[in-house]
Amino acid sequence: MAGGFAAAEAGKRAELYEGNITWYFVLAVLIGSLGGSLFGYDLGVSGGVTSMDDFLKAFFPAVYRRKHAHLHETDYCKFDSQLLTLFTSSLYFAGLVSTFAASHVTRKRGRRMSILVGSVSFFLGGAVNACSVNIAMLIIGRILLGIGIGFGNQAVPLYLSEIAPAKHRGKVNQLFQLTTCLGILVADLINYKTEKLHPWGWRLSLGLATLPATLMFLGGLFLPETPNSLVEQGKLDEAKRVLTKIRGTVKIDAEFQDLVEASEAARAVKHPFRNLLKRKNRPQLIIGALGIPAFQQLTGNNSILFYAPVIFQTLGLGSEASLYSSIISNSMLVIGAIISMSLVDRLGRRLFFIEAGFQMIISMIVVGVTLKKEFGHGIALPKSSATLLLIMVCLFVVAYGWSWGPMGWLVPSELFPLETRSAGQSIVVCNNLFFTAAVAQFFVAAMCHLRYGVFFLFAGLVFIMSVFIITLLPETKQVPIEEIYLLWEKHWFWKRIVGSSEERGQQEMKNDGSV
């Protein structure tokens, strides 16, 4: 098999790609990106609901009693309940298991089918949670939500990357992060209203998860499948028709031929997960499937947002401090996502990663030092210290919003060749959700015992991940998705691992001849 030679020829056709931004393309992208709103709404609403007294009294009375036993104590150990955190993390554990089933559906039935399955499962989870009368129902609902997240996060980033032209792929893919942030923000605003609706407000918050799921399902019925997936399924005529429609031109021969050749190479791969372990796929495995998804959750973003309510309460916002802190912090996420989406295809991925790493390290160190000196002694923070912490929170969150937040989904979705794309995305989602679940399950306990030391820990992790990016990630901006493999052959380190296309082609011919 001479797949390496075919790929080398394909690399010469990128400059022949043509196309315009059409209304059909815009509509498909907007519907597809709704998948992020599911993830974001759940992230936002679950955090708010677990702080509502009515919810705690109904399901976690011990936590409710501890919460009100020391109203003025600056001690988050009172929220240290493994059962309560299981309510949050069970979704992520379900998501990381379901993503492997989603990989099969995504590859065999298409990206669109996975999006539809995810929206149905998410709808059912929201309905069960809203009707829950015991913890068992809560967990079942969270598992159904997790299955929806597993399918949605598997398919949506792939869908957006594949349907977008190379020069716009960055901003299009980052719609997933933008809708995630908007979902969180909408959930915060809903929690603000429903908290006042006693004793059933929390049911409304959880039940409204069915709304974005319904919108995504109805939109998904009219969503076109990606040309890449149609070619992969052998539907060449339909693939050419869709590609012509989303590009707004009949001059799609060069791009279509690249898709066909990539699909031929993909069909020759019988075991995509096993194929990920080959030397030629080592960079994608280490950077895209393992490194970036794990690092995205180890930035410490969750920890800085958890402390935000205390900071804002010290500034005099009283009993509504939690709401204001969530709205302001998540507004910074939205601002960061918009900035990144606007500039990523001009400035590139590496610049955002590297600049944000420096900004986040400084913010974490300042927060850690300030809390070490001032916080946890049973007295309120001085206003000057609280103001400094507020500024550091905003700088940290906005940096995450334009770097590890959106890039954690964008870059992995760009790296994998078609033959391992759905399998690779499954590893990405599984790894991401595993570390999300681990942070959700153990962070409160870690903060209870490490206190300000948590921030120094995350500052060190951000330093490590910044070195990882500087050393191993090549720039992928405006590179056609089927030609990313050429970057590894030119990279100072990876070229020693993957070799050249010609060398791989000769080796494959030698292996075929020896059979």
Side-chain angles (χ1 to χ4, degrees):
M1 185 185 73
F5 296 115
E9 289 299 317
K12 301 176 182 178
R13 285 195 288 264
E15 60 187 22
L16 302 177
Y17 289 9
E18 295 189 30
N20 304 300
I21 300 297
T22 64
W23 282 110
Y24 186 71
F25 165 76
V26 171
L27 183 62
V29 165
L30 290 177
I31 294 173
S33 63
L34 281 173
S37 67
L38 303 184
F39 193 27
Y41 185 83
D42 182 79
L43 287 172
V45 82
S46 59
V49 164
T50 53
S51 68
M52 292 184 184
D53 286 348
D54 292 327
F55 177 81
L56 293 176
K57 282 190 289 186
F59 298 101
F60 305 97
V63 177
Y64 172 78
R65 288 192 295 269
R66 287 205 305 269
K67 176 183 176 182
H68 290 276
H70 305 285
L71 291 178
H72 302 292
E73 183 183 27
T74 53
D75 182 7
Y76 277 88
C77 290
K78 56 192 173 186
F79 294 103
D80 184 13
S81 167
Q82 291 300 298
L83 188 60
L84 178 60
T85 52
L86 180 62
F87 166 75
T88 300
S89 60
S90 58
L91 177 143
Y92 306 116
F93 287 121
L96 68 88
V97 173
S98 68
T99 188
F100 292 103
S103 172
H104 177 78
V105 174
T106 300
R107 191 180 190 205
K108 298 297 185 182
R109 302 296 300 276
R111 286 54 164 152
R112 176 175 170 270
M113 180 57 69
S114 280
I115 290 173
L116 291 173
V117 172
S119 61
V120 170
S121 182
F122 199 89
F123 178 94
L124 294 174
V128 171
N129 271 172
C131 300
S132 293
V133 295
N134 53 49
I135 292 178
M137 286 187 69
L138 280 180
I139 300 300
I140 290 172
R142 295 292 289 175
I143 290 173
L144 289 170
L145 290 170
I147 293 172
I149 294 297
F151 273 83
N153 287 10
Q154 152 75 217
V156 171
L158 288 185
Y159 185 90
L160 296 176
S161 287
E162 289 181 347
I163 206 169
K167 62 182 178 180
H168 299 298
R169 189 174 64 243
K171 63 173 66 74
V172 168
N173 186 279
Q174 289 197 26
L175 282 171
F176 180 78
Q177 176 68 13
L178 180 59
T179 55
T180 298
C181 296
L182 289 173
I184 296 173
L185 194 57
V186 168
D188 288 336
L189 296 172
I190 288 175
N191 284 336
Y192 172 62
K193 294 294 185 181
T194 59
E195 189 176 20
K196 297 176 172 60
L197 302 176
H198 303 290
W200 52 271
W202 61 271
R203 293 187 184 275
L204 182 58
S205 287
L206 295 176
L208 284 175
T210 59
L211 181 59
T214 301
L215 293 175
M216 187 172 170
F217 178 80
L218 294 177
L221 294 176
F222 303 96
L223 202 65
E225 186 55 84
T226 69
N228 310 60
S229 180
L230 290 170
V231 170
E232 192 175 20
Q233 297 173 59
K235 302 176 181 178
L236 299 185
D237 291 338
E238 187 178 353
K240 184 172 286 189
R241 178 183 61 80
V242 172
L243 187 60
T244 299
K245 201 168 183 179
I246 61 177
R247 296 291 183 258
T249 178
V250 296
K251 298 178 181 179
I252 47 89
D253 290 343
E255 185 173 1
F256 185 75
Q257 187 60 33
D258 277 358
L259 297 181
V260 171
E261 291 182 1
S263 179
E264 290 173 352
R267 275 197 291 269
V269 177
K270 302 302 181 184
H271 305 285
F273 283 97
R274 188 184 306 169
N275 194 262
L276 277 170
L277 301 176
K278 290 186 176 181
R279 289 175 63 92
K280 68 175 183 178
N281 294 321
R282 200 65 52 78
Q284 300 95 301
L285 177 65
I286 293 175
I287 298 176
L290 301 178
I292 289 179
F295 285 145
Q296 185 192 48
Q297 297 305 316
L298 295 175
T299 54
N301 187 58
N302 290 339
S303 66
I304 202 81
L305 292 179
F306 191 93
Y307 260 110
V310 175
I311 298 168
F312 284 87
Q313 191 168 15
T314 305
L315 290 173
L317 300 182
S319 61
E320 296 182 339
S322 179
L323 166 73
Y324 285 110
S325 67
S326 295
I327 292 176
I328 293 175
S329 300
N330 290 316
S331 295
M332 298 306 294
L333 281 178
V334 173
I335 292 171
I338 292 173
I339 292 172
S340 182
M341 188 171 66
S342 302
L343 299 176
V344 69
D345 285 320
R346 280 191 287 165
L347 301 181
R349 286 65 162 148
R350 281 170 52 87
L351 178 63
F352 277 106
F353 271 129
I354 295 168
E355 185 282 329
F358 177 79
Q359 187 168 322
M360 292 163 72
I361 290 170
I362 296 299
S363 299
M364 279 289 193
I365 291 175
V366 172
V367 170
V369 170
T370 303
L371 292 178
K372 181 180 183 299
K373 292 173 58 179
E374 307 283 358
F375 187 73
H377 304 297
I379 58 175
L381 288 169
K383 289 296 179 67
S384 59
S385 298
T387 302
L388 175 63
L389 290 175
L390 170 59
I391 294 171
M392 290 300 105
V393 167
C394 292
L395 288 176
F396 178 90
V397 172
V398 77
Y400 178 87
W402 66 49
S403 61
W404 284 96
M407 302 298 173
W409 295 107
L410 167 61
V411 174
S413 72
E414 296 177 318
L415 298 185
F416 297 99
L418 186 60
E419 64 264 26
T420 61
R421 193 165 297 156
S422 61
Q425 186 66 12
S426 286
I427 303 296
V428 170
V429 175
C430 178
N431 196 20
N432 183 285
L433 291 178
F434 173 80
F435 279 93
T436 304
V439 171
Q441 186 67 29
F442 300 113
F443 173 71
V444 176
M447 188 171 60
C448 175
H449 297 289
L450 297 179
R451 302 181 69 80
Y452 62 84
V454 168
F455 297 96
F456 296 128
L457 172 63
F458 283 125
L461 289 172
V462 174
F463 175 78
I464 292 172
M465 61 186 72
S466 297
V467 173
F468 177 86
I469 293 296
I470 293 170
T471 306
L472 298 179
L473 180 67
E475 182 54 65
T476 59
K477 70 172 180 178
Q478 300 187 10
V479 179
I481 197 169
E482 303 302 341
E483 298 181 12
I484 295 292
Y485 75 96
L486 295 172
L487 298 177
W488 313 123
E489 299 178 9
K490 300 174 183 177
H491 189 270
W492 72 272
F493 175 77
W494 293 120
K495 66 182 179 182
R496 307 174 191 176
I497 307 296
V498 303
S500 66
S501 300
E502 290 76 11
E503 291 171 347
R504 291 197 301 274
Q506 292 171 4
Q507 183 62 43
E508 289 168 355
M509 292 177 65
K510 181 179 178 180
N511 292 340
D512 290 344
S514 63
V515 175

